Amino acid sequence: MQMAAIFGQISGNGAYTKKCHEFFVDRFGFGKSLLTTSCSDALEMTALLAHIEPGDEVIMPSFTFVSTANAFAIRGAIIRFADTTAEYPNISVQQIAELITPKTKAIVVVHYAGAACDMNAINALAVKHNITVIEDAAHALGAFYHGRPCGTLADMATFSFHETKNIICGEGGMLALNKKEYFNRAEIIWEKGTNRAAFHRGEVNKYGWVDIGSSFLPSELISAFLYAQLEQFDVIQMERTRVKRDYLKHFDSLNRSGLLTIPKLPDGATENGNMFFAVCRTGEERNQLIKYLNHEGIHAVFHYLPLHNSPYFTPHHDGRELPNTIRFSDTIIRFPFYSGLETDDIEWIAKTTAKFFNR
Ligand SMILES: *Cc1c(COP(=O)(O)O)cnc(C)c1O
């Protein structure tokens, strides 16, 4: 007997994939949702959908994961890295405005730790200059901006279900589309450049190669795992926001003492229990604190290395300094964050952190 006969379809775009798509569209109001094998892949799809070609300029933060940039670099785009704001490690609107040229084809924003960027201002700039806006919402599932879900705030958005995120399936992601003009082509790009999805709906009587594309869709095994997480979506989010609340409570006095800073959520942003991070006074102190906590058995870590001065990008960078990016990269510390992290443990983490400063 064939495996498929026992288990049903286990390749992509089957029953569980559809259930996940329906969940996301119903729950968050995306125009269309397509599961992908990673957020990196979803980002590559956005570059194809935005018709990014060699020489096109794309503005994005330097303070992000390498995939945000790679997706556009492999299409030959010129990446123009923008600095973050001084207060919060999200892209600065003023920097975006300064970097726009007639060649600017796309702006990619990252909602750091799930806190939405200043999308009203960014979209206003984009409309004025006819630029596509993409949300790298890898951290931002379940987060809102002035009452609207992250992922619905721009032309397209990408999400990650990598095991470090809120909702997980090992490796996985999603593309969310908010403009009808993308829907058909996105399905084609997703299914190796073929119109196979339309064929399965009976809209065409054979399928073939109609555009460029790749195999961006996950197997049903992945989708089924993901769907089980989605069935628990509210439970997971409630638990993760509880962890965050506990952290904010127990780190409040450290924050007020100025020994550490916990940046306030930007205007209109909400908490989605993605991570807990703080900003140290100096890079040196941050590194010593991480070392101290690690020694005490607490797995605290740093975060993004700036992309503009990375080994790959340095020769391509235009030489502008991005001081806020450098400062956040040097001074951000992230604390352990997972469902089931107990209040007592969080209190102990805060006490141990305070002990470091009182040595
Ligand atoms: C995790 C992450 C990605 C990559 O997600 P994958 O699913 O691992 O490809 C991209 N951008 C940001 C901001 C991320 O945090």
Side-chain angles (χ1 to χ4, degrees):
M1 199 190 287
Q2 288 189 340
M3 293 297 270
I6 301 168
F7 297 117
Q9 181 186 342
I10 57 171
S11 61
N13 199 10
Y16 281 105
T17 301
K18 290 190 179 77
K19 277 168 170 290
C20 292
H21 289 169
E22 280 166 16
F23 174 90
F24 288 118
V25 169
D26 289 352
R27 179 80 190 224
F28 299 110
F30 307 136
K32 186 177 178 68
S33 149
L34 288 172
L35 295 190
T36 56
T37 41
S38 64
C39 181
S40 305
D41 272 354
L43 284 160
E44 286 184 38
M45 288 185 70
T46 68
L48 291 167
L49 283 166
H51 294 281
I52 300 297
E53 282 163 18
D56 289 341
E57 295 180 9
V58 180
I59 300 170
M60 65 179 69
S62 170
F63 192 69
T64 181
F65 191 59
V66 66
S67 297
T68 319
N70 256 331
F72 298 87
I74 60 177
R75 309 247 39 101
I78 297 167
I79 313 283
R80 309 295 312 279
F81 284 118
D83 206 359
T84 69
T85 68
E87 300 78 27
Y88 193 93
N90 275 350
I91 195 165
S92 148
V93 177
Q94 194 198 327
Q95 281 264 303
I96 294 175
E98 285 165 18
L99 291 171
I100 289 174
T101 76
K103 285 185 175 173
T104 307
K105 197 92 163 260
I107 298 167
V108 190
V109 303
V110 177
H111 308 307
Y112 187 76
C117 296
D118 187 0
M119 296 310 292
N120 287 343
I122 293 167
N123 285 328
L125 277 174
V127 166
K128 187 167 153 205
H129 297 277
N130 194 24
I131 298 167
T132 304
V133 181
I134 298 153
E135 300 173 71
D136 179 346
H139 303 173
L141 190 66
F144 292 81
Y145 172 73
H146 291 294
R148 292 155 59 207
C150 288
T152 66
L153 307 172
D155 300 309
M156 318 178 220
T158 66
F159 291 88
S160 176
F161 308 120
H162 183 268
E163 71 174 355
T164 52
K165 318 293 176 172
N166 289 38
I167 297 292
I168 62 170
C169 61
E171 299 274 359
M174 174 180 50
L175 174 65
L177 301 168
N178 299 311
K179 259 187 169 172
K180 276 217 169 68
E181 65 186 73
Y182 295 130
F183 294 1
N184 273 335
R185 187 156 180 258
E187 264 184 1
I188 288 165
I189 290 169
W190 190 59
E191 281 263 33
K192 301 113 187 149
T194 72
N195 53 352
R196 188 164 175 269
F199 171 74
H200 279 294
R201 285 195 299 265
E203 293 166 14
V204 292
N205 55 18
K206 55 184 182 236
Y207 77 89
W209 189 15
V210 296
D211 201 338
I212 54 171
S214 190
S215 185
F216 287 116
L217 70 174
S219 89
E220 279 292 290
L221 299 178
I222 299 281
S223 307
F225 190 106
L226 183 66
Y227 190 66
Q229 290 260 303
L230 296 179
E231 286 181 316
Q232 300 293 314
F233 183 79
D234 291 320
V235 176
I236 293 169
Q237 290 300 92
M238 241 159 64
E239 170 63 358
R240 293 186 69 101
T241 46
R242 191 274 304 163
V243 169
K244 184 68 175 262
R245 262 200 318 277
D246 281 349
Y247 264 119
L248 291 174
K249 180 173 160 210
H250 290 293
F251 274 76
D252 185 51
S253 62
L254 269 169
N255 185 31
R256 276 191 284 176
S257 71
L259 295 166
L260 278 177
T261 305
I262 297 158
K264 282 201 193 66
L265 284 178
D267 186 39
T270 64
E271 183 56 59
N272 74 332
N274 175 258
M275 66 166 100
F276 176 65
F277 73 98
V279 181
C280 293
R281 292 177 297 189
T282 66
E284 178 64 26
E285 193 168 61
R286 192 274 311 263
N287 294 342
Q288 280 173 11
L289 176 57
I290 288 180
K291 219 166 136 189
Y292 179 82
L293 293 174
N294 288 175
H295 185 76
E296 296 293 317
I298 295 164
H299 189 57
V301 292
F302 55 90
H303 210 187
Y304 300 130
L305 298 174
L307 296 179
H308 72 282
N309 63 11
S310 61
Y312 172 72
F313 199 80
T314 297
H316 304 288
H317 184 56
D318 54 25
R320 281 172 304 112
E321 290 188 10
L322 307 179
N324 294 327
T325 299
I326 298 284
R327 182 171 53 82
F328 281 127
S329 179
D330 285 347
T331 57
I332 280 179
I333 177 169
R334 291 183 297 151
F335 292 85
F337 204 104
Y338 49 88
S339 294
L341 180 55
E342 288 177 17
T343 305
D344 288 352
D345 288 333
I346 292 168
E347 193 176 352
W348 169 66
I349 292 169
K351 278 192 175 140
T352 310
T353 304
K355 229 189 264 172
F356 166 82
F357 288 105
N358 295 330
R359 283 176 309 170

